[in-house]
Amino acid sequence: MAVQAPADGGSAQMSETLLTAEKLEVVYHHAITAIQGISLTIESGQIVAILGTNGAGKSTTLRALSGFLGIDNARVTEGHIVFKGQHIENRPPNEVTRLGIVLVPEREKVFPNLTVADNLSAPFAPAMSKADRKAREEQVYSFFPRLGDLRARIGGLLSGGERQMLALASALMCKPQLLLVDELSLGLAPVIVEDLMQRLVQIRGDLGITIVIVEQSAAVALEIADYGYVLENGRVVLDGASAKLKEHGDIQEFYLGQSGGAERRNYRNVKQYRRSRRWYG
């Protein structure tokens, strides 16, 4: 099943700015600067990809947006994050979740000792009646029919792909307006990744949820994203509409593996690359 981004490189649902992050700096243990000067703009209805190699600052950026920095003894020390007109930098994750931002983390995705059904009952869902929760649960099972067949299965006995489905399903039970997904493809077979990516596109379309995905696999992410940011060493070095990024020579060489040369070099070692180059349209 092919996964396709909008032909014009933008989402038809895009209408207003949902979140902005301006010149963010995050410091761990009061000493280690993980990201510095990162600025992002997320439009309502978009799928946005944050790309980069290990250590580029991708997961730290998602944790800053979701409020989960505190568990790693980290903090936004400069800059600000505005979601629907409210400053949310350094707010605790429970407050951020109530506002409508939900994180699917790279680690500890599900409760391993609970059944699939109990995992879906566990998340906080603001202002949802019992009937609304039931309706959302059935909707979630429609996105992930495999989970419906495994309702009584213990989370720790699920396969990697099934755990990822359950993590996404649990996040949807919180009624997010902005869904943050960290390393969806990690450790999964390509056919499973393609299926999960297609389901994200369906979720965006059916529920109108804005999605930010962090990925090392640029090829996977740019197939469904409307817009992308490339991070290196805790900074944004390139950003633009996904169609434009896929055409860019540096992205093709260093992230899509389409170099004509015999040896692929690391992006950060290329002297001529241009920081913060942008494309619009």
Side-chain angles (χ1 to χ4, degrees):
M1 137 173 64
V3 179
Q4 296 293 334
D8 61 357
S11 168
Q13 302 178 51
M14 183 168 47
S15 59
E16 61 181 350
T17 299
L18 186 65
L19 179 143
T20 58
E22 186 69 26
K23 297 181 180 178
L24 285 187
E25 178 179 282
V26 171
V27 175
Y28 284 82
H29 305 290
H30 307 285
I32 303 168
T33 301
I35 60 174
Q36 187 171 10
I38 284 183
S39 295
L40 308 169
T41 300
I42 311 298
E43 303 290 342
S44 180
Q46 278 188 323
I47 297 178
V48 174
I50 299 178
L51 312 172
T53 56
N54 279 332
K58 306 184 305 297
S59 292
T60 296
T61 300
L62 281 201
R63 291 181 194 135
L65 300 182
S66 63
F68 276 91
L69 285 174
I71 61 174
D72 295 317
N73 194 17
R75 183 173 181 82
V76 175
T77 53
E78 291 186 18
H80 60 263
I81 306 167
V82 177
F83 177 68
K84 297 176 62 179
Q86 296 190 52
H87 283 262
I88 63 169
E89 61 273 9
N90 294 318
R91 287 201 189 187
N94 61 308
E95 289 187 14
V96 176
T97 298
R98 285 190 178 93
L99 290 173
I101 300 177
V102 179
L103 172 67
V104 179
E106 178 185 355
R107 59 195 183 193
E108 300 172 1
K109 293 181 181 295
V110 304
F111 295 109
N113 297 322
L114 298 182
T115 66
V116 167
D118 287 340
N119 264 274
L120 294 185
S121 298
F124 167 80
M128 287 183 72
S129 66
K130 186 175 180 179
D132 288 340
R133 282 192 65 90
K134 184 65 176 176
R136 172 54 68 105
E137 184 178 301
E138 292 306 315
Q139 191 174 39
V140 163
Y141 282 130
S142 75
F143 290 127
F144 304 103
R146 177 64 177 158
L147 296 181
D149 299 333
L150 299 173
R151 295 181 195 218
R153 181 75 57 89
I154 298 296
L157 299 179
L158 299 176
S159 69
E162 290 163 352
R163 285 192 184 202
Q164 189 64 272
M165 290 179 194
L166 182 55
L168 290 169
S170 297
L172 292 179
M173 290 300 298
C174 298
K175 294 190 69 175
Q177 298 176 54
L178 176 59
L179 181 65
L180 311 176
V181 184
D182 196 356
E183 297 288 7
L184 179 71
S185 66
L186 191 64
L188 300 180
V191 65
I192 296 174
V193 174
E194 185 175 340
D195 178 69
L196 289 172
M197 289 289 178
Q198 182 61 54
R199 293 178 195 276
L200 286 182
V201 173
Q202 181 185 2
I203 288 165
R204 188 266 296 269
D206 290 357
L207 301 182
I209 295 173
T210 305
I211 300 173
V212 176
I213 54 175
V214 152
E215 270 294 333
Q216 286 192 53
S217 175
V220 166
L222 292 177
E223 279 300 305
I224 69 165
D226 305 300
Y227 202 89
Y229 293 87
V230 181
L231 272 56
E232 287 282 356
N233 293 329
R235 298 177 182 271
V236 175
V237 293
L238 291 170
D239 70 277
S242 60
K244 296 290 186 180
L245 287 178
K246 286 191 288 186
E247 293 171 359
H248 191 272
D250 290 342
I251 298 298
Q252 291 179 355
E253 179 174 357
F254 304 115
Y255 289 97
L256 301 180
Q258 299 175 9
S259 171
E263 181 179 340
R264 290 184 67 196
R265 297 161 291 166
N266 189 293
Y267 195 107
R268 67 173 65 92
N269 293 331
V270 179
K271 294 181 180 179
Q272 68 268 29
Y273 83 84
R274 295 163 296 280
R275 289 185 180 273
S276 299
R277 179 169 180 176
R278 297 173 179 266
W279 294 273
Y280 298 93

